[in-house]
């Protein structure tokens, strides 16, 4: 499998500010990573596919200008939530695609 | 979109009992994954099944992939409190690497 880390593990921010979440693949060169969002007591919802060296592919209904994804290297993808609002509060999880998907530990975002 | 239906949504049992979680679809998947997720953590891969009719065992957990590769089940024998968690099935279809997740089954095992 792949070992995946996320930073920070939790973050609290004020409404209107931007927050960056990092996803690192520690032992695998990942050309593809995925970003998910999970609300309490619900399953994972795919937000976007992050491709190294190219633009991310967003799922229907996910605003690409609000959720900026950068995959500049084979070990790092970042998700920036711009102008965050309370409704963006959620658990954000990334995964690395190898033979299947291996997930990071998640980042809890709370927007006040 | 390939829809994966997972049942039941919630399962509460006592230690030592058995349980089965089902994952069904009308679509064919090239592979199906089972994950377990604990609160505040990311999902952890339990198993991947690829071949129709395949059965895999992981200690007290038995996973089965349907002959037509449209459904799967997870059976836990003699459940323990450490088995408590959200169980998610996820199918891989036509888009490389993308997974379609079921809604999840929350399992609670009480001592």
């Amino acid at each position: 499998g792949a070992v995946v880390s996320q930073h920070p593990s939790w973050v609290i921010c004020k409404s209107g500010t931007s927050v960056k979440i990092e996803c690192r693949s520690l032992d695998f060169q990942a050309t593809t990573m995925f970003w998910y969002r999970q609300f309490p007591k619900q399953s994972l919802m795919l937000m976007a596919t992050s491709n190294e060296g190219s633009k991310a592919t967003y799922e229907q209904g996910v605003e690409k200008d609000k959720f900026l994804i950068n995959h500049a290297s084979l070990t790092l993808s970042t998700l920036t939530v711009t102008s965050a609002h309370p409704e963006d509060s959620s658990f954000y999880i990334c995964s690395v695609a190898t033979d299947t998907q291996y997930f990071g530990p998640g980042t809890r975002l709370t927007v006040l | 979109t390939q829809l994966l239906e997972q049942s039941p949504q919630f399962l509460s049992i006592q230690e030592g009992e058995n349980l089965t979680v089902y994952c069904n679809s009308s679509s064919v998947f090239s592979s199906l994954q089972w994950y377990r997720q604990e609160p505040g953590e990311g999902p952890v891969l339990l198993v991947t099944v690829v071949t129709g009719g395949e059965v895999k065992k992981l200690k007290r957990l038995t996973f089965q992939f349907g002959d037509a590769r449209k459904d799967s089940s997870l059976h836990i024998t003699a459940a323990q409190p450490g088995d408590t968690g959200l169980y998610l099935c996820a199918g891989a279809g036509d888009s490389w690497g993308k997974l379609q997740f079921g809604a999840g089954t929350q399992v609670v095992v009480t001592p």
Side-chain angles (χ1 to χ4, degrees):
Chain A
V3 180
V4 185
S5 70
Q6 281 184 242
H7 178 80
S9 55
W10 60 270
V11 58
I12 301 173
C13 70
K14 291 183 178 180
S15 186
T17 60
S18 295
V19 174
K20 181 185 285 187
I21 301 170
E22 294 183 348
C23 177
R24 291 184 184 273
S25 177
L26 301 182
D27 60 351
F28 182 80
Q29 294 192 318
T31 55
T32 301
M33 294 184 182
F34 297 93
W35 284 97
Y36 294 83
R37 181 165 53 182
Q38 185 178 33
F39 293 105
K41 300 191 185 302
Q42 293 187 21
S43 187
L44 278 67
M45 185 185 78
L46 179 65
M47 299 176 67
T49 303
S50 173
N51 303 298
E52 188 266 336
S54 64
K55 291 183 179 180
T57 305
Y58 290 82
E59 295 299 300
Q60 192 171 9
V62 178
E63 299 175 57
K64 62 180 175 64
D65 294 329
K66 180 168 182 62
F67 298 100
L68 300 178
I69 292 173
N70 184 279
H71 192 156
S73 78
L74 290 172
T75 59
L76 174 64
S77 175
T78 61
L79 168 68
T80 301
V81 183
T82 63
S83 187
H85 290 284
E87 56 265 31
D88 298 324
S89 298
S90 189
F91 193 51
Y92 291 86
I93 314 174
C94 69
S95 71
V96 165
T98 62
D99 55 327
T100 183
Q101 288 186 33
Y102 295 90
F103 288 85
T107 296
R108 171 73 58 193
L109 170 63
T110 302
V111 185
L112 303 177
Chain B
T1 301
Q2 298 165 296
L3 190 62
L4 265 174
E5 294 183 355
Q6 214 173 316
S7 63
Q9 286 186 311
F10 182 80
L11 203 51
S12 180
I13 61 172
Q14 290 198 317
E15 183 175 3
E17 294 181 337
N18 302 332
L19 68 96
T20 303
V21 178
Y22 299 94
C23 186
N24 297 296
S25 175
S26 58
S27 302
V28 176
F29 292 98
S30 57
S31 68
L32 196 136
Q33 282 68 226
W34 284 93
Y35 293 87
R36 180 170 65 213
Q37 184 182 24
E38 299 193 24
E41 300 181 9
V44 175
L45 179 68
L46 296 174
V47 78
T48 299
V49 285
V50 178
T51 306
E54 183 176 7
V55 177
K56 280 192 174 179
K57 291 192 174 184
L58 185 66
K59 297 184 180 178
R60 294 176 293 100
L61 278 61
T62 302
F63 305 86
Q64 188 163 5
F65 202 13
D67 291 340
R69 289 185 288 133
K70 293 182 179 180
D71 54 84
S72 181
S73 65
L74 156 61
H75 182 79
I76 301 179
T77 304
Q80 298 178 359
D83 296 325
T84 293
L86 178 67
Y87 288 82
L88 297 158
C89 66
D94 49 2
S95 298
W96 185 85
K98 289 178 71 170
L99 294 176
Q100 177 68 42
F101 277 85
T105 296
Q106 181 63 53
V107 172
V108 176
V109 183
T110 53

